[in-house]
Amino acid sequence: MEINTRRSFLGKMAAMAAFITGAPKLFSQQTSPAAPPPALAVPGDDRAHRAASHTHDGIYYFSGTGSNDGYPKEDHILVTDPFEKHVTRTMDALKKSVERAGCTMDSIIHAQVFFCLPLADGVPMPTGKARFDAHKAQYDALNKIYRTYFSPGNSPSRACMALEWIPGDSLIEIVGSARVVNTPPATPAGQ
């Protein structure tokens, strides 16, 4: 599945959430630039992912950030790697993304967290109560790591959803928004 398909799916999910919560006007103001601004291009980053993230009226909207975003292909992890490693790498990538946009982790307003069990040959997929228990264990592991990225009492509002599959060999993906609180650091042209 191409990255644009994932972004389209997550965009539709966000539109649905905005409609349900009565925020269609806010959502309709978002536009995606045709190409990423040169100031945001960083070596090793996924440019298509970066183009989907953007700032509008002092709010940074970040698209799906997963455990392999911002890492070179030779450093990608697999779905068979421990879930905690996926969470830590995703949170590190998210922190870098929001800081490049002039935000902080504490300025994140809302996050939608998607996670899944590993789908891989040789890895049995639990069923019934065992599947529930596996998702619950992931949720508990997520919470333990997630809270360490925020100052006490500053965790953003959040929704967590267990899915069947997430593209990109990631077991977790985070979408959301943050207030811009600083001027984004300048990046040398061409990077």
Side-chain angles (χ1 to χ4, degrees), residues 111-129:
Q112 294 177 343
V113 180
F114 304 90
F115 59 95
C116 68
L117 298 172
L119 284 175
D121 292 337
V123 177
M125 182 57 69
T127 59
K129 177 139 175 28

Side-chain angles (χ1 to χ4, degrees), residues 31 33 40 52-61 101-103 178 180 184:
T31 58
L40 291 180
S53 298
H54 64 279
T55 301
H56 181 77
D57 286 342
I59 303 294
Y60 175 59
Y61 298 91
C103 308
V180 176

Side-chain angles (χ1 to χ4, degrees), residues 10 13-21 23 26-27 30 58-65 91 94 98 103-114 146 150 154-161 173-180:
L10 293 174
M13 293 293 293
M16 195 177 333
F19 179 76
I20 291 170
T21 62
L26 173 65
F27 188 79
Q30 298 178 27
I59 303 294
Y60 175 59
Y61 298 91
F62 49 91
S63 60
T65 301
M91 293 302 291
L94 177 61
V98 298
C103 308
T104 66
M105 292 299 284
D106 287 343
S107 74
I108 293 177
I109 300 166
H110 179 74
Q112 294 177 343
V113 180
F114 304 90
Y146 183 87
F150 303 97
N154 283 328
S155 293
S157 68
R158 181 186 78 179
C160 288
M161 291 148 273
E173 185 162 299
I174 302 176
V175 179
S177 57
R179 285 183 326 278
V180 176

Side-chain angles (χ1 to χ4, degrees), residues 9 11-12 18-19 30 81 88 91 95 101 128 145 158 160 170 173 185:
F9 170 76
K12 289 175 186 174
F19 179 76
Q30 298 178 27
D81 286 322
T88 300
M91 293 302 291
K95 186 174 189 294
I145 297 167
R158 181 186 78 179
C160 288
S170 185
E173 185 162 299

